[in-house]
Amino acid sequence: MEHIVIIGNGIAGVTAARHIRKLSDKKITIISAEADHFFSRTALMYVYMGHMRWRDIEPYEKGFWKKNRLELKKGLVKNVDTASKTLQFSEADSMNYDKLIIACGSVTNTFGWEGLDLNGVGGMVSKQDLEDIEKFAPNNKECPNAVIVGGGLIGVELAEMLRTRNIHVTMLVRENAFWTNALPAGEAEMLSRHIQSHGVHLRHETNLDKIIGDENGNVKGVILKEGQEEIPCKFVGITTGVKPNIQFLKDSGIDTDRGILVNRKLETNVEDVFAIGDCAQQRQTIGNRAPVEAVWYTGRMMGEALAQTICGKSFEYNPGHWFNSAKFFDIEYQTYGWVQPKDRRKDSEAQFHWKCTSDQRCITVSYHKETGEFLGINTFGIRMKHEVMDQWLNEKRSIDFVIENLKQANFDPEFYKKYESEILSEFKQNQPITT
Amino acid sequence: MSAIQRNMSLTGEPPKSINTLQKIATLIGLSGLVIILLAGFNLEFPNKPLWLWVALFAITAGIVLFAKGAYANKHEGIKNDGIWFKSITSRGYLAWVTGILLTSFYIVLYFFPQFLGLNEKGDNTGIISFFDPLSKMLSGNPASQWFVYGTLYTVAIFSFGIKFIWKYRNNRYEKIRTISVMFFQTAFAFLIPEFMARMNSDSFNLPYYDLKNIWPLNYYNFEQYRVDSFISSGDVGIGLLIFGVISIFVITPILTYKYGKRWYCSWVCGCGGLAETAGDSFRQLSDKSESAWKIERWVIHSVLVFVVVMTTAVISTYLGYDSEKYWLTKDIFLIGVAVFLTVLFAGIWFFKREELKKDARYGAIGYLVIILALMGMHFTTGKTLFLFEAETLRQSYGFLIGAIFSGVIGTGFYPIFGSRVWCRFGCPMAAVLGMQQRLFSKFRITTNGGQCISCGNCSTYCEMGIDVRAYAQKGENIVRSSCVGCGICSAVCPRGVLKLENGPLEGRIKGNDILLGNDVNLMEYVNN
Ligand SMILES: Cc1cc2nc3c(=O)[nH]c(=O)nc-3n(C[C@H](O)[C@H](O)[C@H](O)COP(=O)(O)OP(=O)(O)OC[C@H]3O[C@@H](n4cnc5c(N)ncnc54)[C@H](O)[C@@H]3O)c2cc1C
Ligand code: SF4
Ligand code: SF4
């Protein structure tokens, strides 16, 4: 029986395993060094906040793995020998495979600052990171102040976590508003205000110089590049993005760049070795997508596609329209298609922006300046229907059509106040109608 | 994580700790309870009505102030910080203490009402007589243990309702639904029956009737003493009797078809009302495992069979044999019930066999066979009905289901098993509504394309123990008979994945095992 070995029990690896099981009887082994069972990485924050217990963020009951004959192996893969098709573990044991799926995810990306190895400095990516946060920032007595470096999705989640324990949080952001490398200015500024309203000390246009510690190797503060200002703290969260976790593949002969290089079939340069999820890097970029896409959904979709290929029906990874979502404290965010921030905006892209007077809700619709074609939408505080947005993008609808029919896409709970007519009238007033 | 310690919620660090206002509120609320307790020791209060009002007001104010302390200074949004750290909400020490106190209260209420001051002969004393002023004001009669219970129940729904609204003030569905529950409890369960009692005289004698309390939840509605008093009360009484019948056979099916069982379970019902308001802090304690789901299906449908058999038996005992006297004789009634059930099951079998899962199908057949066999036995052997005395059946139902299950376990164990144990495992009304919701209703929870991140908030906070995530992460609609449509899964979802909707029957239950967002051709291939 063919033995499929998967390194990584995250969404990518587990999705591939589930679909392979559905299609075949192959022997499947899933390896992870991090946790016994698959858990939702996106839900790590809720464990620290006390919304859920660890077992609540595991999507499958314990019996699921046995029932589906998915073998689980806890261990750290140290080396991959592609010639003999063998994995070596740090515990000195090994395992053979017929086909290898690498779905080893990401680690925190740092910029080599001084003091990264001090106690109380860490990221927010893995289960071990979470345990460290619980250890070094258990409450506001032991950790009255914390500093978060980097303002992105994970940074704001970490800020929300620490705020639930009343820990004073300073967040260092290079740009002049929150997450401007992904969001248009109007949205970024609204989020900055919201984050501040939750008691986070958001320091725009501020850069970390180094982290300083005491004689016991514990962090005691950070020094900013700006004026060498010192901010005392007991915990430093590094949330300046993630990078593929590919250290252990150095000598394997598998081609890597930032991530593991794969073609559209998710094959690496070595036969019978595939890579999916956060760790994969597309040799050939797909549309506007980044070559390394570290999001939940793409990991899942790669897993779905690869399972077919492994089971004999070859499929390329061919994702549909881009979509994503997040939540910034109390404000939910969804995006469909592409709404580019200023730096990345092409000349042909125009945007219509509406913001609610509450300062808790806004939308941005992007469209082609000449043709009026709908390119994408960001919504904050209003839920949208994925299916409808996907269809409109497929049908290349015009911006006028989208704004006029926005009601159809609304996915807010029943009885919620609707803003479509307000949006429409603002659009009619302020927007030159382009067809 | 192992590092987490559960402290008593009155101490510790945020988010476990409580603020000064909450401490004062706790003091005020408890003082109200202490006053009532003192009345239980027959302490003679100088001005009883005044002290009663003080006590009830203190309890209400305590709860409302506590909510103010908890939510007023926070942003609108989800308020689940520290739920699994606080002793009271995570089966810690306080939870057990509360659970034991509540259960004891129910045991006293149902089985030892003399401790509350009930006297078989003569006037009531203690806590019951403490409530006399209010009872006299409303119905003109002295209080009973049920009046005490009803008052406290209403106070609980009302004040915890305010807390709930505060907590979910970002969500209009939750606000409106809770106002509805508070209204139905105060008006229909509490005030109207008391006013009805006021109208009673020698010739006009309506039984205590909470109009929204529908058979089979109200399992005693068609017992002889009630039917007699309905009939003896002229047109109004007959009207109410007829209303009792059409509320289960006509009104319920129509509303459930249009809106799902939520119209009743989380908008109207008193049991649901208490679970949603006072029980809200315990919703996360429901068991989500598949085995719990299995047990749920067997237990709840067994209760339904029990109540059908019991009611049929009870009604048939007071119907006569002589069709000259009254057209509805015992035999006609029994045959009627048998025909009705058979037609109902045959209809479901014929039209909806696809939707019924395997064991549901076997279960349904099994139950039908049991009921019909029991009736058959009656006709062949005559005499005692269903092998048991109807009265024995009635008493054991009242004891086991009416008292132990719905009261002692259902509410007493809120802090241990979660808030909807009765609604999920025991309530025969929920079983009827649930069957219809699953098979003939426009209601469903839709999932939003491929947006689910499998975080688990929805499943954790589903009070009915539905593993909502299992559906959402597959992009499947949630069409479950137990879903009471509380809307909390949708509220707590951080990615806007879930929406409660009434829509066309077509494609309501879809089992596509792949989500939106990927290659269209791939999805098509996988689905076929
Ligand atoms: C805090 C946080 C919040 C997020 N929120 C969102 C969100 O809201 N939406 C979204 O789309 N995405 C979000 N993401 C990103 C998303 O979680 C990731 O894209 C996704 O989990 C990646 O899945 P994966 O299967 O590729 O890898 P992972 O989930 O990282 O799994 C890889 C596994 O492989 C193991 N492993 C690696 N190397 C080895 C080895 N040598 N030996 C053994 N085991 C090994 C790792 O320990 C790990 O368990 C978030 C990420 C984080 C950290
Ligand atoms: S599925 Fe959702 S709406 Fe239904 S009972 Fe559970 S939480 Fe409430
Ligand atoms: S809460 Fe929302 S995102 Fe989380 S598992 Fe449920 S449906 Fe998915």
Side-chain angles (χ1 to χ4, degrees):
Chain A
M1 206 174 5
E2 195 175 35
H3 188 193
I4 312 285
V5 175
I6 303 171
I7 305 181
N9 67 350
I11 179 69
V14 166
T15 306
R18 277 180 43 233
H19 282 267
I20 295 172
R21 174 52 72 242
K22 225 176 279 169
L23 297 164
S24 79
D25 243 359
K26 298 178 200 295
K27 179 174 170 177
I28 303 171
T29 306
I30 308 175
I31 301 170
S32 170
E34 184 182 12
D36 292 335
H37 295 106
F38 169 49
F39 66 91
S40 177
R41 193 170 302 287
T42 51
L44 282 175
M45 63 186 290
Y46 298 109
V47 176
Y48 179 88
M49 301 202 304
H51 293 205
M52 287 189 273
R53 295 159 299 176
W54 184 264
R55 74 172 106 129
D56 299 321
I57 69 168
E58 292 178 347
Y60 300 103
E61 278 188 51
K62 299 260 183 297
F64 173 87
W65 309 101
K66 202 158 182 193
K67 198 169 126 204
N68 289 290
R69 288 171 290 124
L70 300 170
E71 283 172 37
L72 305 179
K73 153 106 187 148
K74 190 156 187 188
L76 183 69
V77 178
K78 214 178 54 192
N79 184 34
V80 179
D81 182 348
T82 50
S84 64
K85 291 193 165 180
T86 317
L87 306 180
Q88 269 115 29
F89 293 97
S90 60
E91 302 274 285
D93 49 341
S94 63
M95 181 184 282
N96 291 324
Y97 65 83
D98 296 311
K99 290 203 168 93
L100 178 67
I101 301 176
I102 306 178
C104 59
S106 314
V107 288
T108 301
N109 185 39
T110 63
F111 290 93
W113 294 288
E114 192 184 317
L116 280 174
D117 50 354
L118 291 164
N119 296 325
V121 180
M124 210 325 250
V125 172
S126 65
K127 185 179 186 211
Q128 285 69 32
D129 289 342
L130 184 69
E131 282 161 358
D132 280 348
I133 299 171
E134 186 67 58
K135 186 166 153 202
F136 294 108
N139 55 51
N140 66 357
K141 293 264 156 28
E142 287 184 42
C143 175
N145 296 295
V147 171
I148 295 173
V149 186
L153 293 171
I154 300 181
V156 74
E157 287 187 0
L158 185 54
E160 183 174 356
M161 287 162 64
L162 296 167
R163 289 304 295 144
T164 63
R165 302 207 184 173
N166 243 348
I167 292 170
H168 185 266
V169 175
T170 308
M171 206 167 167
L172 311 181
V173 178
R174 224 170 16 184
E175 296 79 18
N176 62 3
F178 174 78
W179 212 32
T180 41
N181 55 356
L183 298 178
E187 302 172 343
E189 285 157 15
M190 183 184 90
L191 287 181
S192 276
R193 287 189 294 272
H194 183 66
I195 292 167
Q196 279 160 334
S197 79
H198 272 277
V200 176
H201 192 183
L202 194 55
R203 306 265 315 241
H204 294 134
E205 295 172 318
T206 310
N207 292 274
L208 177 70
D209 185 30
K210 62 181 176 211
I211 306 167
I212 50 175
D214 62 14
E215 59 283 0
N216 301 320
N218 296 326
V219 60
K220 71 169 194 200
V222 300
I223 308 278
L224 304 183
K225 278 205 178 125
E226 289 69 22
Q228 290 295 300
E229 181 187 342
E230 181 181 335
I231 305 176
C233 64
K234 287 287 176 63
F235 175 77
V236 177
I238 308 289
T239 60
T240 40
V242 295
K243 63 177 183 207
N245 176 16
I246 51 172
Q247 272 292 320
F248 71 105
L249 296 173
K250 266 195 324 261
D251 309 318
S252 64
I254 300 169
D255 276 354
T256 60
D257 173 37
R258 273 195 58 217
I260 303 166
L261 290 167
V262 293
N263 62 18
R264 288 295 287 271
K265 286 189 179 166
L266 305 166
E267 297 162 330
T268 65
N269 62 316
V270 178
E271 201 178 348
D272 289 337
V273 179
F274 308 83
I276 53 177
D278 276 21
C279 65
Q281 176 178 352
Q282 300 292 329
R283 284 177 193 272
Q284 198 192 340
T285 52
I286 308 172
N288 282 333
R289 287 171 181 258
V292 177
E293 292 181 300
V295 287
W296 183 263
Y297 314 110
T298 49
R300 193 193 76 219
M301 295 188 297
M302 288 186 213
E304 287 165 357
L306 180 62
Q308 304 298 327
T309 306
I310 296 243
C311 294
K313 168 91 187 168
S314 184
F315 264 99
E316 290 195 340
Y317 170 55
N318 188 20
H321 296 289
W322 169 255
F323 69 98
N324 200 0
S325 59
K327 192 171 179 185
F328 307 96
F329 285 89
D330 301 310
I331 300 184
E332 287 177 22
Y333 156 68
Q334 296 187 337
T335 182
Y336 302 97
W338 295 105
V339 180
Q340 300 289 11
K342 196 146 187 263
D343 298 346
R344 274 192 258 151
R345 210 173 296 159
K346 292 196 189 110
D347 287 340
S348 58
E349 179 181 340
Q351 293 180 348
F352 163 68
H353 182 67
W354 167 87
K355 189 161 74 62
C356 172
T357 46
S358 67
D359 206 25
Q360 305 277 315
R361 237 168 251 105
C362 71
I363 71 166
T364 307
V365 189
S366 71
Y367 59 99
H368 195 282
K369 248 185 211 147
E370 274 92 50
T371 63
E373 183 189 331
F374 169 50
L375 300 174
I377 184 166
N378 281 354
T379 67
F380 292 81
I382 300 178
R383 295 175 174 181
M384 290 285 160
K385 232 182 233 162
H386 189 171
E387 205 177 336
V388 174
M389 286 303 171
D390 209 53
Q391 191 188 341
W392 287 350
L393 287 164
N394 277 336
E395 294 168 353
K396 299 189 187 304
R397 290 293 184 171
S398 69
I399 168 96
D400 307 86
F401 177 89
V402 169
I403 302 277
E404 261 160 40
N405 292 281
L406 212 50
K407 233 186 220 118
Q408 276 181 42
N410 188 298
F411 201 69
D412 273 340
E414 293 153 300
F415 303 117
Y416 266 44
K417 187 166 182 235
K418 301 274 188 286
Y419 295 90
E420 285 87 6
S421 45
E422 214 177 291
I423 295 172
L424 180 63
S425 71
E426 178 152 334
F427 179 71
K428 285 203 167 130
Q429 270 171 27
N430 299 339
Q431 212 63 17
I433 305 292
T434 44
T435 40
Chain B
M1 283 180 24
S2 53
I4 285 163
Q5 297 171 354
R6 276 202 239 97
N7 286 343
M8 307 254 298
S9 69
L10 302 184
T11 59
E13 311 294 338
K16 279 175 290 204
S17 57
I18 61 174
N19 55 33
T20 318
L21 181 57
Q22 285 173 298
K23 285 177 193 159
I24 296 172
T26 310
L27 202 71
I28 296 175
L30 285 179
S31 68
L33 282 178
V34 168
I35 295 174
I36 294 179
L37 207 65
L38 288 177
F41 292 110
N42 287 314
L43 191 83
E44 274 308 317
F45 287 101
N47 187 346
K48 228 163 62 172
L50 179 71
W51 281 103
L52 175 64
W53 285 113
V54 168
L56 295 179
F57 184 76
I59 295 173
T60 312
I63 296 168
V64 172
L65 280 178
F66 191 92
K68 179 167 196 252
Y71 311 124
N73 292 325
K74 299 216 174 107
H75 289 67
E76 292 186 4
I78 297 307
K79 301 275 169 287
N80 289 334
D81 293 345
I83 294 273
W84 287 105
F85 305 151
K86 290 177 190 160
S87 172
I88 182 81
T89 52
S90 66
R91 294 198 192 101
Y93 177 71
L94 285 180
W96 283 98
V97 171
T98 316
I100 290 167
L101 287 177
L102 277 172
T103 356
S104 322
F105 169 71
Y106 275 95
I107 291 173
V108 169
L109 176 72
Y110 284 116
F111 307 115
F112 306 99
Q114 62 271 27
F115 294 152
L116 295 176
L118 185 73
N119 291 328
E120 292 287 319
K121 311 177 195 90
D123 290 345
N124 293 329
T125 53
I127 294 182
I128 298 183
S129 77
F130 187 58
F131 279 71
D132 277 347
L134 182 59
S135 181
K136 288 199 173 123
M137 195 179 102
L138 295 172
S139 68
N141 304 321
S144 66
Q145 76 268 42
W146 302 119
F147 180 80
V148 172
Y149 181 48
T151 310
L152 293 177
Y153 201 102
T154 307
V155 166
I157 291 194
F158 184 79
S159 38
F160 282 107
I162 294 176
K163 175 169 182 274
F164 189 90
I165 290 175
W166 221 317
K167 179 172 173 188
Y168 294 97
R169 65 184 185 277
N170 62 318
N171 190 314
R172 276 191 85 197
Y173 178 77
E174 298 303 336
K175 283 195 288 195
I176 297 173
R177 179 172 77 73
T178 306
I179 290 168
S180 162
V181 158
M182 289 159 74
F183 166 76
F184 277 103
Q185 175 61 31
T186 320
F188 279 63
F190 188 60
L191 295 177
I192 294 178
E194 296 297 329
F195 294 151
M196 272 160 63
R198 191 169 268 272
M199 302 191 305
N200 281 349
S201 62
D202 291 344
S203 58
F204 186 81
N205 182 24
L206 286 177
Y208 184 92
Y209 192 16
D210 170 359
L211 289 168
K212 67 173 178 38
N213 203 358
I214 299 173
W215 181 91
L217 178 58
N218 182 351
Y219 57 92
Y220 43 80
N221 204 23
F222 301 115
E223 280 171 21
Q224 183 162 17
Y225 77 95
R226 290 179 67 93
V227 174
D228 285 348
S229 32
F230 278 132
I231 292 173
S232 70
S233 302
D235 290 346
V236 180
I238 302 279
L240 287 178
L241 186 59
I242 294 175
F243 178 76
V245 177
I246 62 172
S247 44
I248 182 69
F249 292 109
V250 182
I251 300 175
T252 296
I254 293 176
L255 290 176
T256 310
Y257 173 75
K258 291 183 83 154
Y259 308 112
K261 86 198 249 190
R262 57 181 169 156
W263 77 267
Y264 192 70
C265 295
S266 62
W267 285 71
V268 172
C269 178
C271 304
L274 192 71
E276 291 293 342
T277 52
D280 174 62
S281 309
F282 309 112
R283 54 174 59 249
Q284 68 283 356
L285 302 172
S286 61
D287 189 337
K288 317 299 186 303
S289 66
E290 282 212 29
S291 43
W293 183 16
K294 231 189 189 127
I295 296 171
E296 163 196 321
R297 279 177 302 184
W298 282 105
V299 175
I300 194 173
H301 293 115
S302 303
V303 175
L304 178 59
V305 170
F306 192 1
V307 79
V308 169
V309 170
M310 186 273 285
T311 310
T312 313
V314 165
I315 294 177
S316 66
T317 47
Y318 62 76
L319 290 173
Y321 285 99
D322 192 353
S323 61
E324 306 255 304
K325 275 198 201 139
Y326 190 58
W327 65 271
L328 187 61
T329 64
K330 187 174 189 158
D331 288 350
I332 294 184
F333 174 70
L334 284 182
I335 294 171
V337 172
V339 169
F340 174 76
L341 288 176
T342 313
V343 168
L344 189 69
F345 275 83
I348 294 174
W349 180 257
F350 187 74
F351 292 108
K352 297 282 168 180
R353 55 190 307 171
E354 304 279 296
E355 280 94 332
L356 284 178
K357 291 239 173 73
K358 231 205 285 155
D359 41 348
R361 221 151 54 196
Y362 293 139
I365 298 172
Y367 286 135
L368 182 64
V369 169
I370 296 172
I371 296 182
L372 294 181
L374 286 171
M375 291 190 179
M377 261 188 265
H378 161 72
F379 285 110
T380 48
T381 63
K383 288 214 189 108
T384 48
L385 205 85
F386 301 121
L387 306 177
F388 315 98
E389 285 288 345
E391 183 54 23
T392 325
L393 272 180
R394 192 186 68 82
Q395 279 178 1
S396 23
Y397 187 92
F399 173 75
L400 284 174
I401 311 296
I404 300 282
F405 206 155
S406 78
V408 180
I409 301 179
T411 313
F413 283 121
Y414 267 11
I416 306 301
F417 297 138
S419 50
R420 286 260 194 186
V421 172
W422 160 249
C423 310
R424 181 181 178 194
F425 294 94
C427 177
M429 180 73 183
V432 172
L433 294 169
M435 237 187 277
Q436 201 199 332
Q437 167 157 290
R438 170 93 190 138
L439 300 172
F440 307 97
S441 169
K442 295 161 92 70
F443 173 71
R444 86 290 311 274
I445 302 177
T446 47
T447 54
N448 199 4
Q451 288 280 23
C452 176
I453 53 168
S454 301
C455 69
N457 275 297
C458 51
S459 297
T460 304
Y461 289 93
C462 175
E463 55 192 349
M464 298 305 283
I466 298 173
D467 191 357
V468 184
R469 164 174 58 193
Y471 299 82
Q473 66 189 359
K474 286 194 276 187
E476 247 179 74
N477 285 352
I478 294 119
V479 182
R480 278 280 289 269
S481 44
S482 61
C483 170
V484 291
C486 67
I488 296 297
C489 53
S490 161
V492 297
C493 173
R495 295 295 179 271
V497 177
L498 303 162
K499 181 171 183 186
L500 282 68
E501 283 184 276
N502 311 308
L505 293 180
E506 193 73 9
R508 192 168 79 110
I509 305 175
K510 53 172 188 195
N512 286 357
D513 204 357
I514 199 132
L515 296 144
L516 202 56
N518 211 342
D519 185 0
V520 203
N521 298 327
L522 171 67
M523 290 196 282
E524 220 157 69
Y525 176 74
V526 173
N527 283 333
N528 293 322

